[in-house]
Amino acid sequence: MRKALILSIVVAFALSGCVQKEILDDVNLESGSAYDYVNGKLRGTALVPIYLPDKAVENKTYSANSSLSRDFLSDVQRQSQDPIVTGSLKIVLFGEQLARKKGILDLIDSFQRDPSVGAGIFLAETQGEARKIIESNYGKRGTAIYISNLISHNMKTKDLPKTNLQRFLSDFNQRGKTPYLPQLRLIQKNQIEISGVSFFRYGHVVTTIPAEKMFFFKLLVDQYSQGSLKLKVGKELAAVESIRSKYKMKLVSRNTPAINVHIKVNAILNEYSGIKVTPKELKMIEKKLNKKIEFECEKLTKQFQEKNIDPVGFGHFIKSRTRKFNFKQWETDYQNLKVHVTADVTITESGVIE
Amino acid sequence: MGWFTKKHEQLDEKKSLEEYLQRSHDFKQVSYINQHTNKKFSFSFITTLIDESILQENALPFLLEKSFETIEDIKKIIPIADLQISSDPSEMEQKLFNGYVLLTLETDQKNFAFIAAQKEVVRSITQPEVEFSVIGPKEAFIESLEQNLNLIRKRLPVKELIIEEYTVGTLSKTKVAILHMEGITDPVNVQNVTDRIKNVKFDAITDSSYIVQLISDNKNSPFPQLLDTERPDRVTAILAEGKIAIFVDGSPQALITPTTLVEFFSSFEDYFLNWILSSFFRLIRLFAVAFSILITPIYVATLSYHYELIPKDLMNTLVTSRREIPLPPILEALFLELTIELLREAGARLPTKVGQTIGIVGGIVIGTASVEAGLTSNVLLIIVALAALASFTTPVYKMGNAIRLLRFPFLFFAELWGLLGIVFCFCLLMTHLLRLTSLNRPFLEPIYPPRLTDMKDSLIRLPFRKQTMRPQTLRTLQPLRFTLTKKKKRGDIDE
């Protein structure tokens, strides 16, 4: 008993050296990083927030060039007072040149291998250089938190479909599905916006849809909670809000592949420029909405087929319903896929005063 | 010759005892002469132990004025209930020190009488201070065994309540009473307690806490394995459940055995409240205990090893508060924890009025000053203060002390291995708790071994109507508390 006790104490002390200590205030917490492809070299920028005594955050960035992806961190270490650690990474931005020319697969792979990087971090592509976006200051809480919150609230309540490292990797590894990431853009000094969604094939951006089309893309791949949409009904303008949607895919034919997508939408009419909203007008708005959704969604899928990408995952969907599915065959078949979108919009509320 | 020597020895024994007692200042021997028969008689007593007014009013007048011949006659003339006649001198010492007056006749040295004249110096029954409850009975035990037993007897006026008494302590001769309900309590348990009490080897037992430490199953555990209480209502309730109560003369705390860990987190006030409320409070208390043990170690572990776990919104607060601190988190935490322990210890040792000053010194001066001086972060200050506050919620003081101690090994392991260390330490703690028994009954019951019927009164408390069974772990002879008779359906008023 006593021997065991002494032994365990000795072991405890001996093993305590095995765990690496990273005391919170003695490390530099990398909260965001940006990668660019400049002059044939990869340039990494690490964003480290410096917390000032008055609780404001100063954004400090370190940049280094390297040929290997994550290698840049070890170069950056030489510039920083405390060791830079990756555990609190929130966002990773990829510059336009990098995403379109070199590809981001190597970089994604290194994030996947780092155990201290969470699967929930946000990835995004940028218009122009990523470094410019990460070096700007937005708000008091630091750039990383700002961008991270920007993306997360747009995913939760607005038109951006859900993406993060985990989803990106799962889409990437899923045959018959194309991963996508949001695209950010600097609109003026210290102000950014989400400018669209980019689609990747083997780590390269194939195409980008603008922000206006994101709504219809989200209808196809995600569930809505609080999106909103404006449309023209005759001469009047209407805005619908709080849209909840569900999509349901149905395989119609296997030999000449055809899929029916049924999108069910519940919405609230919250603005209408006309004088009165009567049930007749509601019907009209619903009809218009149906038409618009069907048209836009089908247009999107056509566009995807042209670019030979499949972000909705039609391939994956058919595979899951087909025995001995042949992906080789599918690559040619995909061009012939017929997607028919039907929408069913219900306006559940149109205001209290009638 | 045999009888003669025996008589001689007895007389010698009496003589030598008297000589021995003469050396004490408070031993008195007074002789009187009866007015009718001129018989000489004498009182021997210890003045500090007896109430002399009893002698003066109820014994002396009759002995002086009424005639008597033998020692037997005295019984007829003295109006005192507890009057014993004996011829065994070996009883003398014990009786004298129990507050009896020894009466001897000059003519008959062999026989003597003991007159009960104990002086009762008893403080009055006060409100419970350790286990205070806002509602419910306001009586607490006092130091007198007789008075305490009286409180229990009044609450359980049945013949099944058995009170056995033993004397322990070679010097203190402390009376220990073991209470149980015949026909309910498992006789094995009673026998076990009796054996343990009989085997107590110690010179002076001055409080029931001595008994706790002497008869516990595991004497090296920081956890008390006998529940101590100062509430007669609690003792009554556990007797009815089939547990055993131990009273020690001179101690205002009764002991309850066998007990379980969860019982230490139940305040008796829980039974006075509605079951929903009391269940809620019990869960709060449980949470408070877990919080108080784990929060500082978790702080140390996260800040030293797992900064990844800190939410992004909290990061700023934590980093800014830690910015100026020269100490690593473990030293910072130890510094504050020790400060709190010091305050608590100093507050407990000092008289109340000085204690308040300590509170101010501790709270304001040390707290704010150490933050301003940059020795501790204010986040940790809040955490430690909350942990201390949470540890006060344990209704049983002794368990609270055990919990005070527990967080230090947790801190140590948190520093060594971070969260893994906390888990490791938790495993050690669980191993210890699982091995612990109270009167050979599992201490962690009903959590392990899991007993569903006992869950009804553990972490939560179900309504009384659902509490039909006595705790299974006690193996009572009568597992049903009461028989549920179906209520007569009330007929319609017209029928």
Side-chain angles (χ1 to χ4, degrees):
Chain A
M1 177 64 201
R2 182 151 296 173
K3 261 186 194 164
L5 197 74
I6 293 170
L7 192 73
S8 57
I9 289 174
V10 169
V11 166
F13 276 103
L15 284 181
S16 68
C18 299
V19 197
Q20 201 199 339
K21 215 180 222 183
E22 285 163 335
I23 296 179
L24 183 68
D25 47 333
D26 294 340
V27 288
N28 266 345
L29 304 158
E30 184 191 12
S31 63
S33 57
Y35 295 92
D36 286 303
Y37 193 57
V38 190
N39 304 330
K41 273 203 157 183
L42 190 80
R43 188 186 58 206
T45 308
L47 170 73
V48 173
I50 293 174
Y51 300 103
L52 302 175
D54 61 341
K55 301 244 163 113
V57 180
E58 194 186 298
N59 298 304
K60 173 99 183 135
T61 51
Y62 302 93
S63 289
N65 293 323
S66 84
S67 40
L68 243 176
S69 58
R70 293 274 288 169
D71 198 29
F72 97 96
L73 257 189
S74 55
D75 293 338
V76 162
Q77 299 284 16
R78 281 188 273 125
Q79 305 169 23
S80 129
Q81 175 201 344
D82 291 319
I84 294 183
V85 291
T86 53
S88 70
L89 201 62
K90 301 280 175 302
I91 48 149
V92 180
L93 304 181
F94 301 106
E96 195 173 3
Q97 292 295 311
L98 176 75
R100 275 158 214 265
K101 284 190 182 150
K102 188 161 186 303
I104 60 168
L105 272 191
D106 297 351
L107 293 161
I108 299 273
D109 182 68
S110 69
F111 290 121
Q112 185 187 344
R113 277 170 217 296
D114 187 347
S116 62
V117 171
I121 63 168
F122 293 134
L123 312 175
E125 195 230 342
T126 61
Q127 266 186 31
E129 265 188 46
R131 182 189 179 175
K132 274 188 188 140
I133 287 186
I134 213 160
E135 273 179 346
S136 311
N137 293 308
Y138 322 94
K140 280 187 181 166
R141 298 176 63 198
T143 302
I145 291 185
Y146 184 91
I147 298 179
S148 155
N149 285 353
L150 170 83
I151 295 177
S152 100
H153 105 85
N154 272 293
M155 283 195 312
K156 260 186 206 147
T157 61
K158 296 296 169 203
D159 300 343
L160 193 63
K162 274 191 193 124
T163 65
N164 54 31
L165 179 60
Q166 162 117 36
R167 276 166 186 264
F168 186 88
L169 284 170
S170 111
D171 286 356
F172 175 71
N173 292 317
Q174 182 69 61
R175 289 189 81 177
K177 205 158 190 247
T178 306
Y180 47 88
L181 290 181
Q183 190 192 46
L184 299 179
R185 175 175 72 173
L186 207 60
I187 40 177
Q188 46 178 287
K189 200 178 172 259
N190 294 342
Q191 211 167 336
I192 48 169
E193 68 164 11
I194 296 170
S195 52
V197 174
S198 296
F199 301 97
F200 288 77
R201 196 193 302 124
Y202 301 115
H204 292 263
V205 171
V206 179
T207 184
T208 306
I209 56 166
E212 299 82 59
K213 304 277 179 197
M214 275 176 5
F215 173 81
F216 303 102
F217 179 55
K218 191 166 182 177
L219 281 182
L220 282 169
V221 295
D222 206 343
Q223 288 180 338
Y224 251 84
S225 48
Q226 277 173 304
S228 60
L229 181 68
K230 270 176 259 164
L231 80 160
K232 240 181 173 176
V233 188
K235 284 180 201 160
E236 312 293 349
L237 276 169
V240 283
E241 211 188 41
S242 272
I243 294 175
R244 273 171 295 141
S245 77
K246 262 186 203 165
Y247 68 92
K248 214 174 185 181
M249 290 199 264
K250 210 173 174 187
L251 186 58
V252 182
S253 132
R254 221 168 251 135
N255 295 332
T256 48
I259 287 177
N260 265 359
V261 184
H262 183 70
I263 300 171
K264 200 172 152 42
V265 181
N266 281 337
I268 294 171
L269 180 75
N270 83 327
E271 235 183 300
Y272 184 63
S273 61
I275 308 158
K276 229 180 170 186
V277 185
T278 57
K280 202 181 117 201
E281 261 132 14
L282 276 182
K283 276 265 146 44
M284 273 250 298
I285 296 170
E286 282 178 359
K287 226 173 165 183
K288 273 267 174 192
L289 273 169
N290 280 345
K291 278 240 172 88
K292 191 165 185 189
I293 289 172
E294 281 162 16
F295 176 74
E296 292 285 351
C297 285
E298 277 182 18
K299 207 170 123 191
L300 267 180
T301 53
K302 286 243 169 59
Q303 196 185 333
F304 295 150
Q305 275 169 310
E306 275 163 29
K307 299 273 178 188
N308 198 18
I309 49 171
D310 187 5
V312 186
F314 291 121
H316 168 58
F317 173 74
I318 296 181
K319 185 211 134 194
S320 67
R321 276 156 181 74
T322 312
R323 207 176 275 255
K324 290 179 184 162
F325 183 70
N326 188 349
F327 267 111
K328 277 246 168 75
Q329 177 80 36
W330 169 249
E331 269 163 31
T332 49
D333 279 359
Y334 181 53
Q335 299 303 329
N336 307 324
L337 173 74
K338 278 195 184 103
V339 180
H340 180 65
V341 179
T342 51
D344 174 16
V345 179
T346 322
I347 291 182
T348 52
E349 287 172 43
S350 62
V352 198
I353 305 159
E354 291 231 353
Chain B
M1 278 300 275
W3 61 271
F4 179 76
T5 35
K6 199 178 174 194
K7 190 181 167 190
H8 223 79
E9 271 170 15
Q10 282 181 354
L11 282 179
D12 280 355
E13 199 179 332
K14 192 181 160 211
K15 274 259 160 55
S16 68
L17 177 70
E18 273 168 8
E19 271 166 31
Y20 211 112
L21 289 172
Q22 292 289 357
R23 292 169 61 188
S24 281
H25 156 76
D26 56 352
F27 178 70
K28 246 187 205 166
Q29 216 165 11
V30 206
S31 295
Y32 303 90
I33 296 168
N34 184 280
Q35 288 169 354
H36 293 285
T37 54
N38 281 341
K39 259 199 182 275
K40 240 182 142 181
F41 62 94
S42 64
F43 286 140
S44 311
F45 53 87
I46 292 164
T47 47
T48 44
L49 286 179
I50 67 142
D51 189 354
E52 277 179 61
S53 65
I54 295 178
L55 271 191
Q56 280 158 24
E57 285 161 22
N58 299 338
L60 207 49
F62 303 101
L63 285 170
L64 290 174
E65 283 159 19
K66 293 202 173 164
S67 60
F68 60 92
E69 281 301 321
T70 60
I71 202 104
E72 297 290 331
D73 296 339
I74 291 170
K75 265 196 170 172
K76 293 173 196 159
I77 55 170
I78 300 183
I80 289 176
D82 191 359
L83 195 146
Q84 297 163 21
I85 288 166
S86 165
S87 56
D88 182 10
S90 60
E91 273 184 13
M92 269 171 60
E93 184 184 345
Q94 195 207 336
K95 288 281 182 197
L96 279 174
F97 284 101
N98 279 347
Y100 285 86
V101 175
L102 177 71
L103 170 68
T104 43
L105 302 184
E106 208 190 17
T107 50
D108 184 6
Q109 287 289 334
K110 210 173 83 185
N111 295 313
F112 32 81
F114 296 113
I115 304 163
Q118 286 96 339
K119 194 196 281 185
E120 286 286 338
V121 190
V122 182
R123 74 181 164 104
S124 55
I125 295 173
T126 49
Q127 289 203 353
E129 274 170 21
V130 185
E131 291 169 83
F132 180 77
S133 74
V134 181
I135 41 174
K138 294 281 189 291
E139 287 174 333
F141 290 130
I142 54 165
E143 282 77 4
S144 156
L145 179 66
E146 305 290 319
Q147 183 60 60
N148 292 349
L149 293 179
N150 166 276
L151 289 173
I152 300 301
R153 272 278 189 220
K154 272 197 287 189
R155 285 183 155 80
L156 285 171
V158 285
K159 66 174 188 301
E160 282 81 9
L161 174 62
I162 307 291
I163 303 180
E164 290 171 54
E165 204 175 285
Y166 299 93
T167 308
V168 295
T170 45
L171 287 181
S172 67
K173 306 280 179 209
T174 313
K175 282 185 274 181
V176 174
I178 300 172
L179 276 68
H180 70 273
M181 300 296 282
E182 191 71 38
I184 294 175
T185 315
D186 184 5
V188 177
N189 277 350
V190 180
Q191 191 56 44
N192 226 324
V193 173
T194 317
D195 288 348
R196 286 188 195 185
I197 294 283
K198 276 183 184 163
N199 285 333
V200 163
K201 298 262 184 299
F202 205 68
D203 52 355
I205 308 277
T206 55
D207 187 61
S208 60
S209 326
Y210 280 61
I211 299 287
V212 174
Q213 292 167 57
L214 286 163
I215 71 168
S216 286
D217 294 32
N218 182 350
K219 292 167 182 79
N220 297 325
S221 169
F223 292 97
Q225 294 141 56
L226 279 86
L227 181 69
D228 57 327
T229 180
E230 54 169 1
R231 299 188 64 100
D233 42 358
R234 186 168 205 162
V235 172
T236 314
I238 61 97
L239 280 174
E241 263 181 6
K243 291 181 183 169
I244 299 165
I246 304 171
F247 284 83
V248 177
D249 195 18
S251 166
Q253 310 275 338
L255 305 176
I256 293 168
T257 186
T259 181
T260 54
L261 184 71
V262 286
E263 206 176 353
F264 283 93
F265 299 113
S266 74
S267 148
F268 201 69
E269 200 176 6
D270 293 349
Y271 295 94
F272 304 146
L273 297 170
N274 175 288
W275 68 275
I276 299 173
L277 294 173
S278 60
S279 301
F280 174 67
F281 292 147
R282 277 193 188 177
L283 290 176
I284 288 232
R285 253 176 252 138
L286 205 76
F287 165 77
V289 167
F291 181 86
S292 130
I293 295 175
L294 292 176
I295 192 72
T296 343
I298 286 178
Y299 174 87
V300 170
T302 356
L303 259 68
S304 308
Y305 293 101
H306 319 285
Y307 65 90
E308 299 98 332
L309 294 180
I310 303 170
K312 60 177 190 281
D313 300 320
L314 194 65
M315 194 67 99
N316 196 347
T317 325
L318 273 180
V319 174
T320 32
S321 81
R322 280 276 308 162
R323 171 162 308 282
E324 310 297 326
I325 316 299
L327 306 170
I330 176 70
L331 287 184
E332 188 194 4
L334 273 181
F335 172 73
L336 266 187
E337 285 287 356
L338 284 177
T339 314
I340 292 265
E341 289 304 317
L342 279 180
L343 280 174
R344 210 188 300 207
E345 201 56 28
R349 301 286 156 259
L350 281 172
T352 353
K353 277 180 187 152
V354 195
Q356 288 173 355
T357 338
I358 287 292
I360 296 165
V361 170
I364 298 169
V365 181
I366 299 179
T368 45
S370 63
V371 169
E372 269 171 32
L375 282 176
T376 56
S377 67
N378 36 26
V379 175
L380 183 65
L381 188 71
I382 296 167
I383 286 178
V384 171
L386 271 181
L389 192 69
S391 77
F392 286 124
T393 56
T394 39
V396 181
Y397 179 70
K398 276 187 181 159
M399 188 48 91
N401 284 347
I403 281 159
R404 266 167 79 176
L405 181 78
L406 270 184
R407 77 179 73 133
F408 289 98
F410 271 103
L411 266 178
F412 173 74
F413 280 105
E415 166 63 12
L416 275 187
W417 295 322
L419 285 183
L420 186 71
I422 294 180
V423 172
F424 179 69
C425 193
F426 188 74
C427 291
L428 290 184
L429 175 70
M430 283 317 280
T431 320
H432 176 70
L433 283 175
L434 282 167
R435 285 172 56 101
L436 215 54
T437 51
S438 166
L439 206 68
N440 301 334
R441 310 281 160 169
F443 192 57
L444 223 49
E445 202 271 346
I447 300 159
Y448 196 87
R451 301 224 171 97
L452 211 60
T453 45
D454 291 7
M455 289 280 189
K456 289 174 186 169
D457 187 8
S458 54
L459 305 177
I460 52 163
R461 185 183 77 77
L462 292 190
F464 286 127
R465 227 183 128 66
K466 298 269 176 209
Q467 315 259 9
T468 46
M469 304 283 280
R470 298 212 159 81
Q472 268 186 341
T473 179
L474 300 174
R475 301 274 183 267
T476 48
L477 302 179
Q478 219 177 302
L480 269 180
R481 286 192 136 183
F482 54 90
T483 40
L484 263 180
T485 44
K486 269 201 179 148
K487 230 192 242 170
K488 247 192 203 165
K489 244 191 186 168
R490 197 179 289 169
D492 199 296
I493 202 159
D494 296 331
E495 281 171 26

